[in-house]
């Protein structure tokens, strides 16, 4: 529904003039209004732009559940505000997203990206060359071939035809300016045209120009065949088919029209109809050929708005990086409480209420503070007995998100976006240890953040005596002593010493920061110990994935260092048999690497074998 229609609820059975304020509130409590609300609960075809718009749907759910007392109490509590606050939902064409559904981009974001697609100059120039200049060059060539046959020489008396060709060239050059190849004086068509100008002017061709003309004609015939020949006709038909293909920006505009009726703030439960080939009706309206397929680049842009469970998006490759996963994580955090509801309609309703944020009234909309505000709303309190335990649901969501980070991006580490989402979930779950977000050191004092000490203590307890400790040469006893003493300055000095920067280096020194990441495992130990994360497929699979990331074609020195750190952590949590299998697999993969990649990991790989073979 359009925002300009105010409080009107244009549903069957309502007055044509619509209702607003207290009138809308009272109508929703009639038999007809409740029937509509119950149908919306079942179909999900509603939209909540503010959390308040979930109130009457909660009333309807309570009544259907037989909780008439709770429903009546809720109505009496919110009725005094009915004239000023809209408590009814908006109708929508598409069902509201479920509690487990997430998306990378909204319909509005995809529409904006498609709207910015403009004609590509290179493609436009190629189209002009195929449709304008190639046919004209064929006419020029055909003119000189016929002149040669008529006179036995590289000239002819077809001055009238030649003048017409030159005049048409002038008109074409003025109207079609994208392609400039015809302006090259050394090109074969330019030689044909220059010779024609001489003949039309009544001048004999100079020996040099006559020689250039013969060479140009012979070269063009040898390359493409004589105009009208079977060989030439096949080539021109293929080029005509290529030129006749719709431009990508035209098909993007078609898909943009398909998106127009949809809610811009949502994802897409089904992207299939939006990227289907051009229909007959669309062909009649747009002039695009019916049956034309939507280009892969346009289809990929639409697919990025696909709304589905996180695992589905990961399997389909729609979450391309850990940073994007961090953005998607906010949607999981926002609706985590709703996932504990046994009733599907209530689960969907509460998720929509938590996600309602039009106008961004709550700046930290997925934060624990936002959850506290939403949970305190009377209608959310009223259905709370049928919702899940928020603490347990936060822990479950934390495990799911942490597992997804490790499984999907085993060599990428945890960037700040997912770390912040994990931190919010940890607070909701009541976990005692926070996640350490960067910057890890205070910019002014140079001291380590308190969360860094907590993460280092957790890592020490998990990794003492492992290949991780031996490879990095970590003195975990010293780390524990600093962590227990809460010695933030001493920890910073330890990191500096390990980085070869004794003294008090700048807090943003990359080598010192990397040592802090090593000592804290960049939050991986916290995920394992306090969130109970174990990747699907086990740590053996994560170790292989990290090695693949460290040695892949797109790997850089920085990404390789990060992936190698991840590899050491994953390997440390493998048992002896798993470690042996991973190392055998790594040796086999390393032997097939290009020489440059193999040289880059030769020394770290030797150190890894040494650390793995050492007796704990």
């Amino acid at each position: 529904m359009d925002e300009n229609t105010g409080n009107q609820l244009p549903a069957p059975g309502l007055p044509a003039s619509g209702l607003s304020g207290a009138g809308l509130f009272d109508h929703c409590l009639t038999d007809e209004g409740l029937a509509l609300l119950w149908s919306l609960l079942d179909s999900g075809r509603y939209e909540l732009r503010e959390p308040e718009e979930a109130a009457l749907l909660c009333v309807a759910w309570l009544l259907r559940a037989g909780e008439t007392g709770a429903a009546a109490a809720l109505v009496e509590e919110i009725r005094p505000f009915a004239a000023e606050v809209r408590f009814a939902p908006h109708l929508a064409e598409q069902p509201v997203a479920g509690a487990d559904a997430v998306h990378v981009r909204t319909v509005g974001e995809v529409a904006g990206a498609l709207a910015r697609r403009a004609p590509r100059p290179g493609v436009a120039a190629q189209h002009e060359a195929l449709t304008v200049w190639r046919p004209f060059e064929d006419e020029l060539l055909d003119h000189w071939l016929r002149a040669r046959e008529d006179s036995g020489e590289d000239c002819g008396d077809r001055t009238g035809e030649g003048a017409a060709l030159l005049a048409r060239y002038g008109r074409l050059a003025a109207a079609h300016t994208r392609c400039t190849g015809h302006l090259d004086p050394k090109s074969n068509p330019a030689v044909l045209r220059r010779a024609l100008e001489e003949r039309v002017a009544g001048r004999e061709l100079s020996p040099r120009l006559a020689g250039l003309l013969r060479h140009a004609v012979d070269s063009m015939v040898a390359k493409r065949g004589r105009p009208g020949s079977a060989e030439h006709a096949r080539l021109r038909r293929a080029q005509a088919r290529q030129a006749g293909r719709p431009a990508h920006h035209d098909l993007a505009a078609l898909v943009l029209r398909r998106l127009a009726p949809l809610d811009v703030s949502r994802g897409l439960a089904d992207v299939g109809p939006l990227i289907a080939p051009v229909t007959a009706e669309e062909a009649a309206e747009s002039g695009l050929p019916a049956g034309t397929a939507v280009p892969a680049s346009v289809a990929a842009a639409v697919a990025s708005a696909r709304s589905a469970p996180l695992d589905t998006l990961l399997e389909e490759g729609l979450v391309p990086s850990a940073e994007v996963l961090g953005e998607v994580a906010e949607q999981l955090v926002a609706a985590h409480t709703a996932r504990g509801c046994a009733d599907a309609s209530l689960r969907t309703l509460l998720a929509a209420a938590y996600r309602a944020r039009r106008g961004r009234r709550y700046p930290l909309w997925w934060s624990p503070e936002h959850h506290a505000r939403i949970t305190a709303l009377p209608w959310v309190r009223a259905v709370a007995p049928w919702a899940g335990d928020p603490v347990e649901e936060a822990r479950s969501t934390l495990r799911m998100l942490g597992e997804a980070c490790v499984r999907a991006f085993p060599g990428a580490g945890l960037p700040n976006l997912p770390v912040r989402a994990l931190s919010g979930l940890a607070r909701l779950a009541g976990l005692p240890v926070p996640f350490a977000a960067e910057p890890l050191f205070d910019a002014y004092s140079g001291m380590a953040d308190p969360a860094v000490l907590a993460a280092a203590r957790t890592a020490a307890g998990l990794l003492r005596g492992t290949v991780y400790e031996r490879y990095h040469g970590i003195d975990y006893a010293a780390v524990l002593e600093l962590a227990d003493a809460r010695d933030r300055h001493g920890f910073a000095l330890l990191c500096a010493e390990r980085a070869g920067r004794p003294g008090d280096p700048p807090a943003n020194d990359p080598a010192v920061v990397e040592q802090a990441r090593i000592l804290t495992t960049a939050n991986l130990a916290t995920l394992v110990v306090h969130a109970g994360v174990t990747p699907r497929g086990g740590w053996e699979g994560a170790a292989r994935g990290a090695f693949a990331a460290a040695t892949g074609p797109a790997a850089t020195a920085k990404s390789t260092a990060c992936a190698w750190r991840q590899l050491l952590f994953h390997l440390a949590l493998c048992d002896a048999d798993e470690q042996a299998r991973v190392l055998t697999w790594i040796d086999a993969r390393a032997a097939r690497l290009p020489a440059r990649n193999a040289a880059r990991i030769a020394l770290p790989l030797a150190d890894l074998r040494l650390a793995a073979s050492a007796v704990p």
Side-chain angles (χ1 to χ4, degrees):
M1 170 181 160
D2 192 278
E3 293 185 21
N4 295 329
T5 56
N7 281 341
Q8 186 179 6
L9 192 64
L14 291 183
S17 60
L19 294 167
S20 63
L24 176 63
F25 184 90
D26 291 336
H27 180 85
C28 286
L29 298 177
T30 65
D31 290 343
E32 187 178 11
L34 287 170
L36 170 62
L37 293 177
W38 287 328
S39 72
L40 294 180
L41 286 171
D42 292 333
S43 68
R45 296 183 183 277
Y46 57 84
E47 176 188 355
L48 304 183
R49 300 173 184 172
E50 304 289 354
E52 291 80 4
E53 293 167 0
L56 287 171
L57 283 172
C58 288
V59 170
W61 188 89
L62 288 167
L63 289 172
R64 188 162 67 175
E67 301 295 330
T68 54
L74 175 58
V75 168
E76 291 307 308
E77 185 173 359
I78 64 176
R79 184 186 293 277
F81 309 98
E84 293 82 21
V85 179
R86 180 187 175 102
F87 291 115
H90 300 266
L91 302 185
E93 292 294 328
Q94 300 294 322
V96 67
D100 289 328
V102 294
H103 53 268
V104 174
R105 302 169 84 182
T106 64
V107 169
E109 289 168 340
V110 169
L114 293 180
R116 290 190 293 272
R117 297 206 174 201
R120 295 170 60 184
V123 174
Q126 183 185 42
H127 183 271
E128 182 178 286
L130 294 177
T131 58
V132 175
W133 296 111
R134 296 295 178 267
F136 180 74
E137 291 168 9
D138 291 343
E139 293 184 51
L140 274 178
L141 178 60
D142 182 65
H143 172 85
W144 282 112
L145 286 171
R146 286 185 288 109
R148 176 188 291 182
E149 292 169 353
D150 289 347
S151 65
E153 300 177 0
D154 291 330
C155 58
D157 297 325
R158 302 172 179 271
T159 55
E161 179 183 325
L165 281 173
L166 292 175
R168 196 149 69 81
Y169 170 76
R171 293 192 297 272
L172 292 176
H176 302 282
T177 59
R178 291 191 177 93
C179 186
T180 59
H182 62 93
L183 299 176
D184 181 3
K186 296 181 180 180
S187 66
N188 288 332
V191 171
L192 268 58
R193 199 173 62 248
R194 193 160 66 250
L196 187 59
E197 290 170 350
E198 292 295 304
R199 295 301 301 158
V200 169
R203 294 187 291 268
E204 290 295 327
L205 302 185
S206 68
R208 182 175 184 278
L209 184 55
L212 290 173
L213 175 61
R214 281 192 298 271
H215 179 268
V217 169
D218 293 342
S219 297
M220 293 173 74
V221 171
K223 185 175 182 179
R224 301 187 181 90
R226 180 179 180 127
S229 67
E231 176 188 1
H232 187 274
R234 281 195 301 272
L235 174 64
R236 293 305 187 221
R237 281 197 299 270
Q239 291 176 339
R241 285 194 298 271
Q242 181 181 353
R245 294 173 185 166
H248 285 197
H249 69 274
D250 289 331
L251 290 164
L254 171 69
V255 174
L256 187 59
R257 290 193 290 274
R258 292 174 176 175
L259 290 169
L262 304 181
D263 181 0
V264 298
S265 65
R266 296 188 185 186
L268 296 167
D270 183 11
V271 302
L274 296 165
I275 57 175
V278 179
T279 66
E281 294 78 10
E282 290 170 333
E285 293 175 1
S286 65
L288 297 169
T292 302
V294 171
S297 61
V298 176
V302 176
S304 67
R306 171 121 150 78
S307 182
L310 178 59
D311 277 351
T312 301
L313 297 189
L314 289 171
E315 290 167 4
E316 295 179 1
L318 297 176
V319 183
S321 67
E323 287 82 358
V324 174
L325 179 58
E327 297 173 6
V328 171
E330 297 181 355
Q331 299 166 53
L332 292 171
V333 180
H336 80 277
T337 304
R339 282 188 285 276
C341 299
D343 182 82
S345 62
L346 181 59
R347 186 163 59 244
T348 300
L349 173 58
L350 283 180
Y354 276 100
R355 288 171 174 160
R357 56 189 179 97
R358 181 157 295 191
R360 296 187 178 271
R361 182 168 47 173
Y362 306 117
L364 298 176
W365 62 275
W366 52 269
S367 66
E369 291 77 13
H370 172 66
H371 275 274
R373 294 188 186 100
I374 299 296
T375 305
L377 295 173
W379 47 95
V380 177
R381 285 202 322 267
V383 298
W386 294 271
D389 179 355
V391 173
E392 183 53 42
E393 292 305 320
R395 290 177 179 172
S396 175
T397 303
L398 177 61
R399 283 192 298 272
M400 177 183 66
L401 178 57
E403 190 275 338
C405 289
V406 175
R407 170 171 50 91
F409 307 104
L414 292 176
N416 263 12
L417 271 178
V419 166
R420 287 169 182 162
L422 291 168
S423 297
L425 280 168
R427 290 169 60 193
L428 291 166
L431 292 186
V433 176
F435 289 85
E438 297 197 16
L440 303 179
F441 298 97
D442 183 81
Y444 297 100
S445 67
M447 293 193 298
D449 187 271
V452 172
L453 291 177
R457 180 190 294 109
T458 301
L462 179 66
L463 297 172
R464 291 187 76 171
T466 67
V467 63
Y468 190 95
E469 178 188 41
R470 295 191 294 274
Y471 179 91
H472 290 297
I474 301 173
D475 182 356
Y476 273 131
V479 172
L480 284 172
E481 183 178 347
L482 292 170
D484 290 340
R486 300 181 181 180
D487 188 351
R488 298 163 57 195
H489 184 254
F491 187 86
L493 291 177
L494 174 62
C495 292
E497 181 182 346
R498 288 178 52 81
R501 309 277 205 275
D504 289 321
N508 60 352
D509 187 313
V512 177
V513 173
E514 179 60 22
Q515 288 303 315
R517 295 189 188 114
I518 290 172
L519 294 179
T520 61
T521 69
N523 292 302
L524 289 178
T526 302
L527 277 178
V528 172
V529 174
H530 296 287
V533 167
T534 300
R536 200 179 309 165
W539 294 106
E540 180 180 351
R544 296 186 184 201
F547 182 81
T551 58
T556 63
K558 182 177 180 180
S559 67
T560 296
C562 175
W564 204 261
R565 172 167 30 86
Q566 301 284 109
L567 164 63
L568 265 295
F569 179 85
H570 304 327
L571 195 62
L573 296 189
C574 293
D575 61 31
D577 291 339
E578 291 172 335
Q579 284 190 15
R581 287 196 298 268
V582 170
L583 291 171
T584 301
W585 178 87
I586 285 177
D587 286 339
R589 285 291 294 263
R592 298 195 299 270
L593 288 175
R596 185 175 182 179
N597 290 15
R600 185 169 59 188
I601 67 162
L603 183 58
L605 185 54
D607 291 341
L608 172 58
R609 292 192 187 100
L610 182 63
S613 63
V615 178

